[in-house]
Every structure is written in structure tokens, then in C-alpha cells.
Amino acid sequence: MPGHFEPIPGGGAAVALDDVEISIIRSLAVQLLELIGPGPGGEVSDDPLAELFAEGPSEPPSDAVLRRLFPDAYGGPGGEGENVEELRAHSSEFRRFTENDLRAGKREDALAVIRTLDTLSPAGDGGAVLKLSQSESVQWMRALNDLRLAIGTRLDITDEEDTDLLYRLPDDDARKPMVMAYLWLGGLQETLVETLTA
């Protein structure tokens, strides 16, 4: 079980994590929460209808990671003859009515990671076994994906060739710790997906 998720009886998954791994995942999840930001108005509303009808931003985020996490619905301009202004207007309208919900979902997933890590009881060897229910496993899978997208964007990874280059970075490259986290989270995500689809 060290370093990879395995299925547990009754559904869900488990993984053994040491204290450093727990600290890294928790820190990355907190950073993701800070990047995503608070809900509309910056506070939780007591009126669920007000939140339901709150409009989100109509322009893409300025931060590259947020643009990757919340891409335009209609992408960039397409082939010849397409009305670029019309695509931008549709994309803006779609973003206005969906981004708040997307942000809320990503916040909940990151919070689920933090909450489950905070419930761990240390084992004698300086680590713990994280056991996730089926629903927690799905939240972890989505959060791990978001974390990898965020790190990959900061590392300027756009395709598989970029990933191959990461393996050849010299140890003294300043990006090396982020690369190691990116690759490690990818392994965790892959084993979690395999566990949930087995």
C-alpha cells in the first residue's frame, strides 16, 4: 500500500502516507483553496436562492492556473468564417452562470482532502493509513487532478513531451521539487482511478 491507493472492503480506497507526504498534500490543497478564493461576495450566505442566482464573472481569470481550472467553454477562435465575437459572447455568458458552481465544487473537493488528512491518527512509524469512503475517494480524485493541473500550468506542461523532459531535469534545477510533486501526485491519482474503476 505505500505510495499507492488500494481498494478497501465496502468501497473506497486506502493509502499509507508518511508525515512529509501528508504535509505536502495538505499544503498544496490549502494553496489551491487560496487560489480559487471564497464564494460570491466572499462569505457564506444564509439564503440558498441568493447563491443560486448569483452571477459569476464574465471574463476569464487573469491567473494562468485559474484559466486552466476554469477554461472558456467554447475555446479559442476556430476555423475560418467563425464569428469570434459571437464565440466570446457565448463563452462569457456560459462562464457567468457556471463559474461560481465550478469554484464551489473545487473548493469542496480541496476541503475534503484537508478534512480527511486532519482526521488521521499517526502510526508508530511517523505516518498513517488514510482510508476514504467511496464519495471521499471521488473528491480526492478530482482534487488530485486539480492539483496536477495547477502544478503542470506553473511548470508550463502542455503535452506528453513536456512531461518526458521533466524526468531529465538536473537535481539543482529550481523546478525539481514541483516536478517531483507533480509526478508523485500523478502516481497517486492513477492508482486511485484504478482502485475506483476496478
Side-chain angles (χ1 to χ4, degrees), residues 24 28 144-155 157-160 162-164 166-167 175-189:
I24 290 169
L28 290 171
L144 287 171
N145 186 62
D146 289 342
L147 291 172
R148 290 192 76 239
L149 285 173
I151 294 171
T153 302
R154 293 291 189 236
L155 290 171
I157 297 171
T158 56
D159 58 34
E160 197 61 38
D162 295 334
T163 305
D164 292 340
L166 298 179
Y167 287 103
R175 297 171 294 172
K176 192 72 170 192
M178 277 192 2
V179 167
M180 298 306 294
Y182 177 82
L183 296 172
W184 172 61
L185 291 173
L188 279 178
Q189 182 184 19

Side-chain angles (χ1 to χ4, degrees), residues 64-129:
V65 171
L66 291 176
R67 279 195 309 275
R68 183 67 180 98
L69 293 174
F70 307 104
D72 277 333
Y74 297 97
E80 288 183 36
E82 280 195 89
N83 185 338
V84 175
E85 289 303 316
E86 189 175 325
L87 283 177
R88 285 188 185 136
H90 290 308
S91 193
S92 175
E93 180 101 350
F94 186 82
R95 180 178 299 280
R96 194 162 50 100
F97 292 110
T98 61
E99 188 168 313
N100 284 344
D101 287 341
L102 292 172
R103 284 181 184 256
K106 291 183 184 303
R107 268 192 301 275
E108 276 305 310
D109 293 339
L111 280 170
V113 168
I114 294 166
R115 288 179 185 131
T116 54
L117 290 174
D118 287 350
T119 64
L120 289 178
S121 300
D125 59 356
V129 175

Side-chain angles (χ1 to χ4, degrees), residues 49-76:
L49 286 179
E51 285 186 28
L52 180 65
F53 293 110
E55 291 184 12
S58 59
E59 295 298 319
S62 58
D63 184 89
V65 171
L66 291 176
R67 279 195 309 275
R68 183 67 180 98
L69 293 174
F70 307 104
D72 277 333
Y74 297 97

